[in-house]
Amino acid sequence: MTTTEELISQVLQGLPVQVKRDRRIFIPVPRNDLIKTVNILSSELNINHLSTITARDTGKEIELLYHFLLNGVVITIRTMCPKDDPTIDSIVSIFPGAVLYERELNDMLGIVPKGHPDLRRLILPDDWVGGYPLRKDWKPPQESEE
Amino acid sequence: MGRVKLPIGPQHPALKEPENFTITLDGERVVDVDIRIGYTHRGIEKLMESRTYTQNLYLVERICGICSYAHVVNFTQNVEEVLGVQIPKRAEYIRTLFLELERLHSHFLWLGVAGHEIGFDTLFMYTWQDREVVQDLLEMISGNRVNYAMNTIGGVRRDISEEHRKKVLEGMDYLEKRAAYYKEVAINEKTILARAENVGILKPKVALKYSAVGPTVRASGITVDIRRDDPYASYTETPFEVITTDTCDVLGRVVVRVLELFESIKIIRYLMEHLPSGEIVVKVPRKIPEGESISHTEAPRGEDFHYLRSNGTEKPERYKVRTPTLANLPAIAEMLKGAYLADVPIVVAAIDPCMGCMDRVLLLKQDSDKPGEIIEGDQLRAYGIKWYAGRGWKA
């Protein structure tokens, strides 16, 4: 393990840190602990780079992966969000760089980041009514008409 | 005079890819910027879920026309990690060679675009001529100038011959001379200094706050480079420096990219002089086991981030791509605040968001009583013919 990974394991002692391989760390947390965990990464590890946020439709839930970067180590917070209540606390107040990534989640998977300052459409057209394209049950409009 | 909202884009001479910047002006000063993207969204992430890994190799390469190779390297690295496959050393060297050739052609291209944006078209002509040397090398080895189709899962598809090796080294000698010339130009040429110095300021704190990437943050004095921090391909063994400047302006972004040319040339020379012998590809199964992987590379524009989730079939369950330009957009808004309207094109171009030229579609009629009128293409043409006819020209 590199020193950065040792430091991370030390600081995040109370959390279920999984070291997948060198420079790849995953931290699964419940949805309600997201802000708390992100705060720890920001204030105690001084992480200042959010690479992006990945979301994946797993069926009943949507898996959210927040990828942070510290000295070449990718630290990913993993959390789940049920489809019947697709809300999650926005992290924009801690990482302003998340502003576009959360709008993208809102467009493509219908995730609603609570407390986001500006939830307009980002990628899809303003008048889009065709649902959330990256959900697994989504079909392109012309196919569903047939 | 009150504040004016000025829409720039989605189609605009200063933008190649359609984006929309709604700029709020107070006189000539920018006070606020709103960015709208998505005009060329192609649904690649969704499309990848319905294609096999082999088909996706070619789809991923078409995410971008300039840094296509960074994407395909990320994709193959992700799949190889899930498979647990180690590619041959020679293949790693060839991948690194292409990554650096790509950086060379991208930076030469950018330098030309930056010159063009500040009305210095001589620089544009010079750099694009030199870029052809890189394009010829890429074509010689891969058969293509762009979208090289070099990678396959488990290695690379084409080998480098002794003749290729010599030609690449010759090309580097020429490009090094040219890069030295551009270094002189970037530091001393009055046109560049007048338009780039103290323009588009991005303080280190702000760059970090908005998670910006690549040469954009390195010009704000932040030493971040994925090649050094999280080495992939053969970057663990190739010697290079991470270039930074602390001027935080457009000039800094010019200097960083020009100096990175030398580092790329240094890396390519090392690779060509130490190229290991052996196989270039290992055989891999078509079905990829269940798993997940993160791969990120230092593309010419900054960190290019890919995530793969596989489900044991021939097709990915989820594939996520975050390109460097998206990461740099929030920072652009900050760089533009307080800038002059005339500096908007060069500040936007300074993050290198794939720029180009398009025709104008909006004309403000000054002889009209109305404050301004939008004229569409056909009307504009008719207007032009009438205007010239009134001055004795015949259509």
Side-chain angles (χ1 to χ4, degrees):
Chain A
M1 266 209 253
T2 62
T3 45
T4 307
E5 282 146 318
E6 279 167 8
L7 173 81
I8 292 165
S9 300
Q10 240 170 36
V11 172
L12 304 179
Q13 251 174 7
L15 295 165
V17 176
Q18 303 165 349
V19 181
K20 197 165 168 259
R21 69 159 170 89
D22 275 2
R23 300 190 298 273
R24 295 288 183 274
I25 290 176
F26 286 82
I27 312 166
V29 299
R31 178 163 61 145
N32 295 334
D33 287 354
L34 176 72
I35 290 292
K36 199 178 82 188
T37 318
V38 173
N39 259 323
I40 295 173
L41 294 190
S42 163
S43 58
E44 292 182 34
L45 280 171
N46 291 320
I47 293 179
N48 43 44
H49 186 80
L50 171 73
S51 284
T52 191
I53 308 169
T54 303
R56 177 175 72 94
D57 185 354
T58 64
K60 280 189 178 156
E61 291 176 308
I62 288 168
E63 181 188 60
L64 293 168
L65 300 163
Y66 293 74
H67 309 285
F68 299 92
L69 185 64
L70 178 69
N71 302 338
V73 180
V74 182
I75 304 155
T76 303
I77 296 181
R78 190 196 301 274
T79 191
M80 298 302 247
C81 185
K83 266 189 185 169
D84 49 23
D85 172 30
T87 58
I88 190 93
D89 290 321
S90 167
I91 65 162
V92 171
S93 56
I94 312 165
F95 284 91
V99 67
L100 297 182
Y101 305 142
E102 288 190 350
R103 277 170 73 178
E104 187 182 355
L105 294 181
N106 185 251
D107 261 18
M108 304 307 282
L109 284 120
I111 302 278
V112 183
K114 286 186 287 182
H116 191 285
D118 173 22
L119 259 192
R120 286 171 300 157
R121 290 229 177 268
L122 179 73
I123 292 169
L124 297 174
D126 289 329
D127 54 355
W128 175 263
V129 284
Y132 306 114
L134 281 180
R135 288 201 180 180
K136 287 285 177 190
D137 51 11
W138 184 85
K139 293 270 181 297
Q142 65 271 33
E143 275 182 36
S144 59
E145 282 165 17
E146 283 166 11
Chain B
M1 190 180 160
R3 291 189 171 180
V4 176
K5 275 199 176 179
L6 183 72
I8 297 185
Q11 311 296 342
H12 191 272
L15 307 165
K16 179 182 185 181
E17 286 180 304
E19 295 166 340
N20 169 268
F21 296 86
T22 303
I23 294 182
T24 309
L25 288 170
D26 186 1
E28 276 191 76
R29 291 274 186 181
V30 177
V31 284
D32 198 19
V33 183
D34 183 42
I35 301 169
R36 180 76 170 85
I37 59 166
Y39 299 97
T40 47
H41 187 69
R42 290 162 289 167
I44 285 182
E45 288 180 24
K46 184 74 180 176
L47 199 54
M48 285 182 74
E49 293 172 10
S50 60
R51 297 188 172 213
T52 67
Y53 287 95
T54 314
Q55 289 172 322
N56 278 328
L57 268 176
Y58 302 95
L59 180 58
V60 164
E61 192 146 24
R62 278 150 185 84
I63 290 173
C64 178
I66 306 286
C67 45
S68 57
Y69 196 66
H71 290 289
V72 79
V73 165
N74 266 329
F75 177 73
T76 43
Q77 283 184 166
N78 267 332
V79 180
E80 284 151 11
E81 183 175 328
V82 172
L83 276 167
V85 164
Q86 175 66 41
I87 69 163
K89 214 157 181 194
R90 191 175 171 91
E92 280 186 348
Y93 268 64
I94 295 173
R95 281 186 186 179
T96 316
L97 169 72
F98 268 72
L99 284 164
E100 290 308 318
L101 283 174
E102 185 171 81
R103 191 179 322 278
L104 281 178
H105 96 67
S106 179
H107 279 8
F108 273 117
L109 177 135
W110 178 82
L111 203 55
V113 172
H116 173 72
E117 295 294 348
I118 59 175
F120 190 6
D121 276 333
T122 313
L123 184 67
F124 164 66
M125 298 293 177
Y126 271 32
T127 52
W128 280 43
Q129 186 186 355
D130 292 334
R131 177 174 171 263
E132 284 303 303
V133 174
V134 191
Q135 299 305 97
D136 288 347
L137 291 175
L138 288 165
E139 188 181 1
M140 171 185 77
I141 302 170
S142 74
N144 283 328
R145 288 163 54 89
V146 289
N147 296 353
Y148 329 108
M150 275 299 277
N151 275 19
T152 186
I153 297 157
V156 291
R157 294 173 62 231
R158 286 165 194 263
D159 205 353
I160 291 180
S161 69
E162 183 55 28
E163 193 203 333
H164 291 161
R165 209 180 66 86
K166 275 189 196 144
K167 285 257 171 71
V168 170
L169 284 170
E170 280 168 25
M172 290 310 115
D173 290 342
Y174 172 79
L175 291 172
E176 191 174 44
K177 275 186 214 140
R178 297 305 297 165
Y181 172 70
Y182 296 126
K183 190 176 153 190
E184 278 296 299
V185 170
I187 297 167
N188 299 318
E189 168 61 42
K190 279 183 187 148
T191 315
I192 294 183
L193 293 179
R195 291 297 311 273
E197 221 174 0
N198 293 320
V199 169
I201 297 287
L202 183 69
K203 292 281 179 205
K205 264 192 177 170
V206 182
L208 290 173
K209 184 177 160 193
Y210 288 100
S211 297
V213 295
T216 307
V217 289
R218 287 199 285 277
S220 295
I222 298 161
T223 322
V224 174
D225 192 319
I226 309 298
R227 291 177 292 174
R228 182 204 62 178
D229 301 337
D230 187 6
Y232 51 96
S234 55
Y235 286 114
T236 36
E237 32 200 289
T238 37
F240 68 98
E241 301 290 323
V242 179
I243 305 291
T244 59
T245 61
D246 53 8
T247 54
C248 307
D249 55 4
V250 172
L251 183 65
R253 284 159 225 149
V254 176
V255 170
V256 163
R257 289 195 178 91
V258 170
L259 295 181
E260 281 187 2
L261 293 174
F262 292 97
E263 296 306 315
S264 291
I265 292 167
K266 197 162 91 187
I267 294 172
I268 291 170
R269 282 212 180 106
Y270 179 90
L271 293 169
M272 291 297 94
E273 278 155 14
H274 298 81
L275 191 66
S277 55
E279 293 295 311
I280 56 163
V281 67
V282 288
K283 223 174 151 46
V284 295
R286 278 162 60 96
K287 284 190 180 172
I288 309 299
E290 210 174 309
E292 64 183 336
S293 168
I294 293 164
S295 169
H296 56 161
T297 53
E298 189 68 30
R301 287 157 186 77
E303 185 200 26
D304 177 28
F305 190 99
H306 286 215
Y307 169 85
L308 163 73
R309 178 84 186 200
S310 56
N311 55 11
T313 65
E314 291 174 10
K315 296 168 184 172
E317 171 77 13
R318 173 83 171 94
Y319 201 83
K320 162 82 184 171
V321 178
R322 197 275 285 133
T323 61
T325 300
L326 183 65
N328 277 334
L329 279 187
I332 282 195
E334 292 303 312
M335 290 182 226
L336 287 176
K337 282 176 194 167
Y340 283 110
L341 177 63
D343 288 333
V344 169
I346 182 62
V347 173
V348 173
I351 72 152
D352 194 4
C354 301
M355 310 293 294
C357 277
M358 288 190 118
D359 267 345
R360 114 182 28 189
V361 294
L362 190 140
L363 177 78
L364 293 175
K365 267 174 89 176
Q366 287 172 344
D367 51 356
S368 163
D369 294 338
K370 291 173 230 163
E373 186 183 328
I374 295 172
I375 298 184
E376 292 188 349
D378 294 349
Q379 288 170 286
L380 184 64
R381 188 168 175 271
Y383 173 81
I385 290 169
K386 204 177 130 201
W387 192 88
Y388 280 108
R391 279 154 188 80
W393 290 73
K394 275 181 190 167

